[in-house]
Each structure stands twice: as C-alpha cells, then as structure tokens.
Amino acid sequence: MSLVADFPGYFQVFSDGSVKRYERETAPASIDSSSNGYKSKDVIISSTKPISARIFLPDTLDSSSHLPVLVYFHGGGFCAVSTTWLGHHTFLGDFAVASQSIVLSVDYRLAPENRLPIAYDDCYSSLEWLSCQASSDPWLDRADLSRVFLSGDSSGGNIVHNVALRTIQEQSCDQVKIKGLLPIHPFFGSQERTEKERASGEAENVAKTDLLWKLSLPEGSNRDHPWCNFEKAELSRAEWSRYPPVVVYVAGSDFLKERGVMYAAFLEKKGVEVKLVEAEGEVHVYHVLHPESKATRLLQKQMSEFIHNF
C-alpha cells in the first residue's frame, strides 16, 4: 500500500483507497448554556448516509421571539474538517449570540471516498430535515423558516452556491425560505489560470488546490466542471432572477481572494444583488483559526447586519 496523495496536517490518501485524517482539537456539544451565552447539541440528519449536524441556540431574554436560521457548511477542500472542530464550534456559537440566530452546522460526507455531488446532496438534505423537524424539535420552536441563510467557508462557500442553485432549479423545500447567502473565502476554480495562480511563488498553493479538486470532482472531470467553475452554471435568466442576495467575504492575504472577487463580479453581471467585503491583511479562514480575534468579531458583526436587513 503506497501513499498517493498527501495534504500535510489534514489527510493522506493511499493506493487501496483508504484515507487517514489527522485529528484536531474538537469541542463537545453542551445542552447546558455556556458562559458565552449559548448551548449546543448534535442531531442526526440521516442515519443511513450518515449525515449529522450541530445546532447552536443563543440564550435570549425574549423567549417568544422568532429567530433567523443560519445553515453553515464547514470548509476543508471537501476532504477534511468537521463542525466539531474547536475553531468552527467557537465561531458559530459566538455568532449565534452576536446575531441572535439559530445555527445549524452540517457534517457532510467527505471526498475522496464520497466525491461530489455527495457533499451537495448531504447539505441539501439538511434543508429538507430543517423543514420537517422545525415543528417537532423543541430547539427549533423559535426558528423562523421564512428567514433562512446559507453560509460556509472555503469549500463550504462553494457548497452554499451549489445548494442555492439546486433550490432554485428544483423549487423545492418550500417551507424553507432562503433569504441570503454568506460565502466566506469561497473555493472555486477553472482550467484557465488566474493572474494570481500564474504568479511566481504560488506553485505550492496551485498544487494544493489542484489536488483537492482532483480528489473531489467526479472521476474524469476537470476544473471546468460547473461545480468548480461557477461560469459554467446553466441557469436561465428567470432562474438567475430568483438567486438570493449575496455578500461574499474575502481575506486580503488569502490565495483564494481573487476567485472570490471574480465570483462576486460574475453574480453582479447576472443581475444578482451582491456585496463584496474584504478583511484586509487576513489569511484564509482566519475566523476558524482565530475565532476570538478582533477581525473575527468584525466578521460576525458584518454577517449579523446582513441577516437582520431581512
């Protein structure tokens, strides 16, 4: 058995198809309110696939008010990471408090064992689950399904886009009204290299992102697959008119910043209401790496303001 792919610090893939993922510090769910003002619990979206999620519920003074819902998809290049990781847990719990919203953070199945569209299918299933469970799970009693938002970092930002497309094309999950999208440092690509990707000194970053796409896309596909290259999406003008408002968050020192800027410009050309927000000098997924930093607090404030505009 030989090593066929290595993403240092995250995972290794071997010739027999097995995958070794490195352990990271995780945070347990707690149904008791924490000193930070929220509680959390893990739920099963599907026991057969399997798909799970973690709900974050803020402490509130007004127990009768309904709260918006943020459905969050973690990053990790489709191949790694979990919503139980400490950085994600801390960021999302604190965000639930800052925004006074209910957060549903989804643990979808990972590539390369489960190539795309499995992650999209799993995350879409979480919306169906939300629609069905809102009336029976006490933690969702105050969930306002007319104000649902999709967010995620890196590959999770890509999932936000592709799940949104699916809801538009299938016109399903009627009870769940997606009011807006908040992709953070979204992960996209194409066969054609961008100026940043062609620059000297970026070969290692290019190799890493190419590897993730190679392991995640369907066998035989390249980076011009519509799941990777947003410009290849086939939507009618009428369908684009139903695309929710978007705020795209990019980080100034992130290798993927250029793709995020291009994504925002593309949506604008399609007539989508879109805003681009840059965190100057910050790195990729800084909000997960440093969930209690000033930059992260600002991001949470910006996201909360977007949500409460609806």
Side-chain angles (χ1 to χ4, degrees), residues 98-162:
S99 63
Q100 287 297 286
S101 62
I102 298 171
V103 177
L104 178 70
S105 181
V106 183
D107 254 338
Y108 50 88
R109 287 172 289 174
L110 300 175
E113 308 98 314
N114 302 284
R115 290 177 176 267
L116 297 174
I118 294 297
Y120 304 144
D121 293 344
D122 289 356
C123 292
Y124 184 82
S125 294
S126 71
L127 300 182
E128 296 177 318
W129 179 90
L130 181 63
S131 178
C132 294
Q133 292 296 314
S135 59
S136 59
D137 190 321
W139 281 49
L140 299 175
D141 280 348
R142 298 168 57 201
D144 184 352
L145 297 191
S146 70
R147 289 190 295 157
V148 176
F149 299 82
L150 306 184
S151 184
D153 59 90
S154 196
S155 56
N158 174 290
I159 294 172
V160 166
H161 171 71
N162 282 289

Side-chain angles (χ1 to χ4, degrees), residues 295-309:
T296 296
R297 298 300 185 219
L298 176 58
L299 173 63
Q300 291 167 335
K301 180 176 181 290
Q302 292 166 335
M303 293 173 66
S304 177
E305 289 173 348
F306 176 77
I307 286 174
H308 287 286
N309 278 335

